[in-house]
Amino acid sequence: MPDSNNAIELKGVTKRFGSVVANDDVSLSLKKGEILSILGENGSGKTTLMNMLSGIYFPDEGEIFVNGQEVTIRSPKDAYNLHIGMIHQHFKLINVLTAAQNIILGLPGPQRLDMKSVDEKIDELTKKYGFELDPEEKIYNMSVSQKQTVEIVKVLYRGADILILDEPTAVLTPQETERLFEVLRNMKNSGKSIIIITHKLNEVLEISDRVAVLRKGCYVGTVETKRASVESLTEMMVGQKVTLNIDRPDPVNPKPRILVKNLTVRNREGLLALDNVSFDAKSGEILGIAGISGSGQKELLEAIAGLQPIEDGQILYTDPKDNIEDLTKKSAQEIYQMQIRLSFVPEDRLGMGLVGSMGMPGNMMVRSYRNGKGPMTDRKTPADLSKRIVERLDVVTPSIDTPVRNLSGGNVQKVLVGREIASSPVVLMVAYPVRGLDINSSYQIYELLNEQKKKGTAVLCVGEDLDVLLALCDRILVLADGKVTGIVDARTATKEQIGQLMTAGASKKQEA
């Protein structure tokens, strides 16, 4: 019999996509008035499971109970009728409309709406739970956290008593995360039941009452958060003990390798992406690059790599023999022909980094195919390199010749990082190098980056997890709205300090 104290109860829920079993006989519960974290590695089935509760997918097997009653959820409308609302990682808002217009969009009602009463109801909700929101502000003028607030208020306006949040803190500053957690606690205290899908273990321990763990589509178990630790939760997710220490050797004889002076870049839409950016990256150090999503991180690395036109400023490269080259107006091909050992792992793995239709050896050859001699191009060397990457990084693939687009996102990332490191770069630039990777693989990548650092490579690492950047990097460059708001010593900086610099309101630069 279902427990009447549960807001949601799943029994034996299974979901298949062809031959892939995304969720296999999962049974778990969400109690009324609690915050439950769903934890698991990428590909463990967390989002698929929640998509069945929100009506996006329909289970192949199993039962779903809401407030003790068995229900059938075939659409998001069914979920709303059961007072279930999901806030997705990628927001579903219309930029040219106001917050209030987005909140009521799609709701039944008279053709001519009384927007004054709508605004009053929104104000009532925001005051009750502690949100900060102007109903009349346009979405395109909002920060990421404000847009997230609109999404949450939208489901509350529709009467949701059960809320599901998918990676809600992925793009928030520490200060915004703390404000969100305060709101969630207020909602819990008013009787709401909340599920959070996340991968940030410290946040799981801070906000949730219980933690349910999935591994490879299967339910592992649920534990009370007060009895859990980062180590115990990691072991549940991975199935074995994992050492969670990031090594950070001191830089040895650091020398400038990349010097950026007053760099100004416009993005492909013609908008200012980088505004008068200046910094240097030194040999034998890892320079972290932090900022709210869209602050210019992508354009910065692409400009250095010769993939982004530069409006103003200068980029200088110093090789190990102290020869200086001006890369300012050079294309990626010209940089390669100058035999400058610069490697780049872009955010867009298959779009920019790898050729999806080719296997690993072909993608190893892409980097140096212009040196080949037509049909007699050496194919043994890239095949041997592919095998070494598979072995070193535990790449899961049926064969090195399997098209890389058929691999999981995490394995694609391993192939790309492995290839770029294998070229023995003087400068290595990586954007979100562990996105999509499980904990074991993430620490393998951190180890590889440190190995490059010890060899004297200048490593530039764009990351979104401030805990990792503070533990891995030597210095952290912070961008806000395309401007440098600080360059801090990662050994002494705090998350709160970086969070303040990540917001456009940071008033002055800080130099380490």
Side-chain angles (χ1 to χ4, degrees):
M1 288 288 293
D3 189 337
S4 59
N5 291 321
N6 289 332
I8 287 178
E9 193 168 349
L10 306 178
K11 291 188 176 183
V13 170
T14 296
K15 181 62 183 176
R16 303 180 187 87
F17 297 96
S19 61
V20 177
V21 182
N23 293 124
D24 187 4
D25 193 27
V26 174
S27 298
L28 59 82
S29 63
L30 168 69
K31 295 178 181 177
K32 293 178 180 177
E34 80 161 350
I35 299 176
L36 174 73
S37 289
I38 305 285
L39 200 57
E41 298 174 355
N42 289 82
S44 61
K46 306 184 298 292
T47 301
T48 300
L49 192 66
M50 294 304 103
N51 280 338
M52 284 187 277
L53 285 177
S54 62
I56 295 173
Y57 297 145
F58 186 75
D60 297 316
E61 298 170 17
E63 301 166 303
I64 299 175
F65 297 87
V66 176
N67 296 321
Q69 300 294 317
E70 185 173 1
V71 298
T72 300
I73 306 174
R74 294 187 177 276
S75 69
K77 183 180 178 182
D78 290 342
Y80 275 126
N81 290 339
L82 293 166
H83 305 289
I84 299 172
M86 184 166 178
I87 295 88
H88 297 270
Q89 188 174 357
H90 302 291
F91 305 141
K92 303 177 187 302
L93 300 171
I94 298 176
N95 280 335
V96 297
L97 299 183
T98 65
Q101 289 167 337
N102 271 278
I103 286 167
I104 64 169
L105 192 66
L107 288 176
Q111 285 187 332
R112 187 172 182 81
L113 289 167
D114 180 0
M115 292 305 297
K116 184 179 178 182
S117 65
V118 170
D119 288 354
E120 288 173 354
K121 184 176 179 182
I122 291 172
D123 285 337
E124 183 182 326
L125 285 170
T126 55
K127 287 175 184 174
K128 179 177 180 180
Y129 297 115
F131 292 108
E132 293 179 8
L133 181 66
D134 177 2
E136 294 307 307
E137 186 172 357
K138 300 276 191 181
I139 299 299
Y140 58 70
N141 285 328
M142 292 185 173
S143 67
V144 173
S145 64
Q146 288 174 313
K147 291 175 184 177
Q148 185 181 70
T149 296
V150 175
E151 289 281 24
I152 296 173
V153 173
K154 185 164 70 174
V155 300
L156 290 172
Y157 191 96
R158 287 159 163 75
D161 293 318
I162 300 165
L163 288 88
I164 304 166
L165 292 89
D166 189 359
E167 298 285 1
T169 66
V171 290
L172 300 185
T173 66
Q175 289 83 356
E176 290 168 340
T177 295
E178 191 50 52
R179 284 199 295 272
L180 172 64
F181 285 179
E182 190 60 38
V183 167
L184 295 180
R185 292 185 187 104
N186 291 340
M187 291 166 60
K188 166 191 161 182
N189 292 337
S190 71
K192 303 292 185 186
S193 304
I194 301 166
I195 295 176
I196 297 177
I197 305 171
T198 185
H199 68 281
K200 296 183 179 180
L201 298 179
N202 290 325
E203 292 179 0
V204 167
L205 296 172
E206 181 182 347
I207 189 63
S208 59
D209 299 298
R210 294 188 304 147
V211 186
V213 179
L214 299 179
R215 188 195 312 147
K216 296 179 180 178
C218 298
Y219 172 68
V220 175
T222 300
V223 295
E224 292 185 13
T225 308
K226 62 185 179 184
R227 302 183 189 280
S229 65
V230 169
E231 290 74 19
S232 68
L233 293 175
T234 301
E235 189 173 345
M236 285 182 73
M237 281 197 300
V238 178
Q240 63 187 36
K241 288 188 179 295
V242 178
T243 302
L244 298 177
N245 294 321
I246 299 177
D247 187 29
R248 178 166 50 193
D250 290 331
V252 178
N253 193 24
K255 295 181 179 180
R257 287 288 174 252
I258 292 289
L259 180 61
V260 174
K261 296 181 179 179
N262 309 115
L263 186 66
T264 298
V265 170
R266 293 189 182 274
N267 61 23
R268 289 170 177 81
E269 287 75 41
L271 303 175
L272 198 63
L274 295 172
D275 185 2
N276 200 33
V277 167
S278 298
F279 70 95
D280 66 356
K282 299 182 175 74
S283 62
E285 78 160 3
I286 299 178
L287 175 68
I289 301 173
I292 296 170
S293 179
S295 293
Q297 304 96 310
K298 175 176 180 286
E299 289 80 5
L300 177 58
L301 296 193
E302 289 183 2
I304 296 171
L307 298 169
Q308 187 79 244
I310 294 168
E311 184 172 293
D312 197 10
Q314 195 173 28
I315 301 171
L316 300 177
Y317 165 82
T318 304
D319 71 15
K321 295 181 179 179
D322 294 330
N323 299 311
I324 298 175
E325 299 282 358
D326 190 341
L327 307 185
T328 308
K329 298 294 183 181
K330 299 291 191 295
S331 68
Q333 183 175 343
E334 289 170 331
I335 291 172
Y336 175 80
Q337 289 171 340
M338 293 165 67
Q339 297 186 335
I340 289 174
R341 286 153 55 196
L342 186 150
S343 292
F344 178 32
V345 178
E347 181 179 359
D348 185 359
R349 301 162 188 169
L350 288 176
M352 290 179 63
L354 299 169
V355 181
S357 59
M358 296 198 310
M360 287 181 63
N363 275 289
M364 299 303 118
M365 294 168 65
V366 162
R367 233 188 170 279
S368 56
Y369 77 96
R370 292 185 184 87
N371 297 338
K373 300 289 189 277
M376 300 306 291
T377 298
D378 172 28
R379 297 178 186 275
K380 183 177 184 302
T381 301
D384 290 343
L385 175 58
S386 300
K387 291 172 184 175
R388 289 200 301 273
I389 291 173
V390 167
E391 184 176 344
R392 175 70 194 275
L393 297 181
D394 299 320
V395 177
V396 179
T397 177
S399 160
I400 61 171
D401 296 314
T402 299
V404 295
R405 69 182 173 205
N406 293 346
L407 307 184
S408 71
N411 285 300
V412 169
Q413 183 74 332
K414 291 180 187 179
V415 172
L416 183 52
V417 171
R419 183 191 72 185
E420 294 303 307
I421 286 177
S423 67
S424 301
V426 171
V427 176
L428 173 64
M429 302 188 296
V430 292
Y432 310 106
V434 300
R435 183 181 282 173
L437 298 184
D438 58 49
I439 291 176
N440 267 332
S441 299
S442 296
Y443 279 79
Q444 287 177 323
I445 297 296
Y446 303 148
E447 184 181 337
L448 285 175
L449 296 181
N450 269 320
E451 285 179 9
Q452 293 301 301
K453 170 183 169 177
K454 290 174 186 176
K455 290 178 180 177
T457 302
V459 181
L460 288 77
C461 178
V462 174
E464 56 197 350
D465 191 326
L466 294 187
D467 289 310
V468 169
L469 288 181
L470 285 167
L472 177 69
C473 301
D474 299 290
R475 293 183 298 149
I476 299 175
L477 165 77
V478 187
L479 291 173
D481 291 331
K483 296 181 180 180
V484 175
T485 53
I487 302 174
V488 300
D489 185 337
R491 288 170 173 79
T492 58
T494 65
K495 276 173 56 173
E496 290 69 29
Q497 178 187 5
I498 295 174
Q500 289 171 354
L501 292 170
M502 285 169 65
T503 61
S507 58
K508 61 181 179 179
K509 298 183 180 182
Q510 301 179 16
E511 293 289 333

